[in-house]
């Protein structure tokens, strides 16, 4: 890895630490993003020929998405940009509760685990089962 990545990584860690102090609920989100991003970068760098370019595009896109996500969260604009986040949160929470035995299967879960969007519901439910709802 070039020294530029270490500099970006250092600044990113500092920025995320400051953000998690300002918004404590971001701590677990930062952990999930970091782990999944590390896996993605490993896969990109292992399987692509143009490693530097693909890694840079991924990191720039990730940074843009994180900044936008923080903006939406801070100003509570979820409903304006689409209410699907609220639905995936509810369905993921219900699916997690079903897996943990504290929720009975109902029509909501049948709808949630059917196309479209079933993969995201399982992903959210899996995260909620492992680390809890955040």
């Amino acid at each position: 890895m070039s020294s530029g990545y270490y500099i970006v990584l250092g600044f990113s860690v500092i920025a995320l630490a400051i953000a998690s102090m300002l918004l404590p609920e971001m701590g677990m989100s930062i952990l999930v993003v970091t782990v999944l991003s590390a896996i993605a970068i490993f896969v990109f760098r292992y399987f692509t020929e143009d490693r530097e370019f693909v890694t840079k595009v991924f990191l720039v896109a990730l940074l843009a998405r994180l900044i936008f996500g923080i903006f939406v969260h801070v100003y509570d604009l979820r409903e304006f940009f689409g209410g699907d986040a609220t639905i995936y949160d509810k369905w993921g929470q219900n699916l997690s509760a079903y897996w943990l035995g504290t929720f009975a299967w109902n029509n909501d879960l049948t709808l949630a685990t059917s196309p479209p969007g079933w993969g995201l519901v399982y992903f959210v439910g899996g995260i909620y089962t492992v680390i809890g709802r955040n």
Side-chain angles (χ1 to χ4, degrees):
M1 238 189 204
S2 69
S3 63
Y5 287 119
Y6 291 118
I7 292 170
V8 169
L9 180 64
F11 280 119
S12 298
V13 168
I14 292 168
L16 291 175
I18 292 169
S20 66
M21 284 188 273
L22 296 174
L23 301 165
E25 68 271 9
M26 288 179 55
M28 197 54 69
S29 301
I30 290 170
L31 178 65
V32 170
V33 168
T34 302
V35 169
L36 293 178
S37 296
I39 292 168
I41 289 172
F42 172 77
V43 170
F44 297 153
R45 296 188 68 79
Y46 187 79
F47 290 108
T48 60
E49 293 178 17
D50 196 0
R51 291 173 176 88
E52 297 298 317
F53 176 74
V54 173
T55 303
K56 286 178 186 177
V57 168
F58 174 77
L59 290 174
V60 168
L62 178 64
L63 180 63
R65 184 171 175 94
L66 288 174
I67 290 170
F68 180 73
I70 290 169
F71 174 78
V72 169
H73 177 72
V74 168
Y75 293 104
D76 198 24
L77 298 172
R78 278 182 203 84
E79 292 300 319
F80 178 76
F81 286 107
D84 58 344
T86 306
I87 296 299
Y88 287 127
D89 173 60
K90 175 187 170 206
W91 285 348
Q93 185 178 6
N94 289 347
L95 187 59
S96 174
Y98 173 73
W99 287 338
L100 296 173
T102 59
F103 188 81
W105 191 270
N106 62 22
N107 287 339
D108 271 353
L109 283 177
T110 301
L111 179 63
T113 57
S114 304
W118 64 270
L120 191 54
V121 172
Y122 279 102
F123 181 71
V124 171
I127 289 175
Y128 286 179
T129 300
V130 172
I131 61 176
R133 184 171 177 255
N134 185 335

